[in-house]
Amino acid sequence: MRALPDLPGLREPPPLLPRLLLLCLLAAVRRSWADGNTTGSPLTSLPIREEMMTKYSNLSVESHNISLTASPLTSLPIQEEMTTKYSNLSLERHKFNVSLTEHSSEPVEKNITLERPSDIELTCQFTTSGNVNSINPTWKKGDEQLKGYRVTATGNILHTQYRFIIDSNKQMGSYSCLFEEEKEQRGTFNFRVPEVQGINKPLITYVGDSTVLICKCQHCSPLNWTWYSSNESVQVPVDVRMNDKYAINGTNANETRLRIMQLSEADKGSYWCHAVFELGESQERVELVVLSYLVPLKPFLGIVVEVVLLVSVILFCEMYTQKKKMHTDDGKEFEQAVQLKSDDSNGIENNAPRNRKNESVSQ
């Protein structure tokens, strides 16, 4: 069949195929939307699309937060750094410093009492007449070398700072700064928990009485108090729930009282009060002496015995003196009697010649 020259539009077929394809695609899309498949539909209405975006965007944010805080892939140093960074926000910060010179003859020490975890900054100042750049400052905890300290110099004065966190008993102890020159100079910071104060001298009571043992902590508030009794070298906890003999109470958090009723001689000995802090424990000993009522009478009985002995000695001496005096008087009487007898005999003998003489004269 030959084309007609007067009809040029008949040479090309009309564009019906693309239109048919577009209609089929629209029909398929409408059918899927009618079946409820809205996840991939490009014809979803704007409010539904905004709701879906909000819903899934929230889910993505939550999962991001969870992965940030609880991800097991986070390295340990990063976790420790983050924990330290945010825990420091609630810690008390303390600064302590000591000053040293090249002529210091003895180490300088400072005792520091800590009750709760703290952010600590230690500073040592060293003054020298020489070159500060030739001095090598170091830090130690006991015999362990420390790192992470700072060193600054101003003129002939050298400063070194060491900052760290004390959050457990392991960080307590002695921290020292050392300056190595011709003679090593040392400054030491001693960290310890508050001390507990008890009764310095023994507490003396008597059998059958009641007594109260007291322990205090000045300017501190322990988390807990515990009492122990010493059984030779072993400390035994005082159980107030199982034994009505004891009662523990305290009017303030920094004070504890142990009341012991119906005392006996078996209750004497040492009692220990333990104060528990966040950074460790502190303890103090209280000595209890229980006496019987015969004990106060012993000095009196001793005095009575001494008086009796003294009176006995005095009486014995008096009796001996009287007896000796009686013997002396008897001797004197005997001598007097002998003297009188001798005098009588002498008188008779003297009278005999006189009588004879008188007789002769009379004749």
Side-chain angles (χ1 to χ4, degrees):
M1 181 177 181
R2 188 165 56 94
L4 297 175
D6 297 334
L7 299 174
L10 295 176
R11 292 181 181 180
E12 296 180 1
L16 297 176
L17 184 59
R19 294 180 180 180
L20 291 174
L21 292 175
L22 181 58
L23 292 174
C24 292
L25 180 60
L26 291 174
V29 169
R30 289 179 180 179
R31 187 179 298 108
S32 62
W33 178 77
D35 294 339
N37 186 11
T38 61
T39 58
S41 175
L43 301 178
T44 305
S45 62
L46 182 60
I48 298 176
R49 184 181 301 175
E50 291 179 352
E51 182 181 357
M52 293 172 62
M53 291 180 64
T54 303
K55 177 180 179 181
Y56 289 105
S57 64
N58 291 339
L59 292 177
S60 64
V61 172
E62 291 176 0
S63 65
H64 175 73
N65 292 336
I66 294 174
S67 64
L68 177 64
T69 58
S71 173
L73 300 178
T74 305
S75 63
L76 183 59
I78 295 177
Q79 288 183 358
E80 292 179 351
E81 182 179 358
M82 292 170 61
T83 303
T84 303
K85 178 180 179 181
Y86 291 103
S87 63
N88 291 346
L89 298 177
S90 60
L91 293 179
E92 297 179 356
R93 186 174 181 181
H94 301 282
K95 295 182 179 181
F96 307 99
N97 59 80
V98 296
S99 298
L100 300 168
T101 64
E102 58 184 353
H103 303 294
S104 299
S105 59
E106 296 181 357
V108 179
E109 293 192 12
K110 178 173 287 189
N111 297 322
I112 303 169
T113 300
L114 283 181
E115 182 180 350
R116 57 183 60 89
S118 303
D119 181 4
I120 304 298
E121 181 177 329
L122 304 179
T123 302
C124 289
Q125 175 181 308
F126 182 72
T127 304
T128 179
S129 59
N131 185 9
V132 295
N133 296 324
S134 64
I135 302 174
N136 182 27
T138 56
W139 284 86
K140 288 185 177 182
K141 181 183 183 298
D143 296 330
E144 178 187 357
Q145 193 82 18
L146 298 176
K147 298 180 180 180
Y149 53 87
R150 296 183 302 167
V151 180
T152 57
T154 304
N156 63 339
I157 300 177
L158 190 65
H159 294 86
T160 177
Q161 294 91 19
Y162 179 64
R163 185 176 177 181
F164 61 103
I165 300 297
I166 294 182
D167 57 2
S168 68
N169 190 32
K170 295 181 180 179
Q171 282 81 37
M172 301 291 280
S174 298
Y175 293 79
S176 302
C177 57
L178 297 91
F179 297 90
E180 297 180 1
E181 207 182 21
E182 296 180 357
K183 179 182 178 182
E184 182 183 82
Q185 302 295 340
R186 178 190 293 261
T188 304
F189 303 86
N190 299 315
F191 290 90
R192 60 189 180 185
V193 295
E195 294 183 353
V196 178
Q197 299 176 356
I199 302 175
N200 297 328
K201 57 184 180 181
L203 182 61
I204 301 176
T205 57
Y206 296 95
V207 174
D209 291 344
S210 298
T211 188
V212 177
L213 310 182
I214 303 175
C215 282
K216 296 181 179 180
C217 183
Q218 297 292 339
H219 309 295
C220 63
S221 298
L223 300 176
N224 188 27
W225 289 96
T226 307
W227 282 92
Y228 294 85
S229 61
S230 295
N231 184 6
E232 295 180 354
S233 60
V234 180
Q235 293 186 0
V236 181
V238 176
D239 193 351
V240 297
R241 293 173 298 179
M242 300 298 295
N243 196 338
D244 296 336
K245 187 182 186 69
Y246 304 101
I248 298 177
N249 52 31
T251 56
N252 302 312
N254 65 335
E255 179 183 279
T256 180
R257 297 170 178 262
L258 174 63
R259 184 178 180 84
I260 308 176
M261 280 123 357
Q262 295 297 321
L263 288 168
S264 64
E265 293 187 0
D267 296 324
K268 65 181 179 181
S270 299
Y271 290 81
W272 297 85
C273 57
H274 286 241
V276 180
F277 300 92
E278 294 183 47
L279 300 178
E281 295 185 5
S282 181
Q283 65 178 7
E284 178 64 16
R285 187 183 71 169
V286 180
E287 190 72 20
L288 178 63
V289 179
V290 181
L291 304 176
S292 65
Y293 285 104
L294 295 177
V295 173
L297 297 177
K298 289 182 180 179
F300 176 74
L301 295 176
I303 295 174
V304 171
V305 171
E306 291 179 358
V307 170
V308 170
L309 290 176
L310 181 60
V311 171
S312 300
V313 170
I314 293 174
L315 292 176
F316 178 77
C317 293
E318 288 290 334
M319 292 175 62
Y320 178 77
T321 304
Q322 292 292 335
K323 188 176 181 180
K324 186 175 181 181
K325 186 177 180 181
M326 290 176 62
H327 284 293
T328 304
D329 293 340
D330 292 341
K332 288 182 178 180
E333 291 179 356
F334 179 74
E335 289 179 358
Q336 290 177 359
V338 171
Q339 184 66 28
L340 291 174
K341 188 175 182 179
S342 61
D343 291 342
D344 293 340
S345 59
N346 291 333
I348 294 172
E349 291 178 355
N350 292 331
N351 291 330
R354 187 177 299 173
N355 293 329
R356 290 175 184 167
K357 186 176 182 181
N358 291 333
E359 290 176 356
S360 60
V361 172
S362 62
Q363 290 177 357

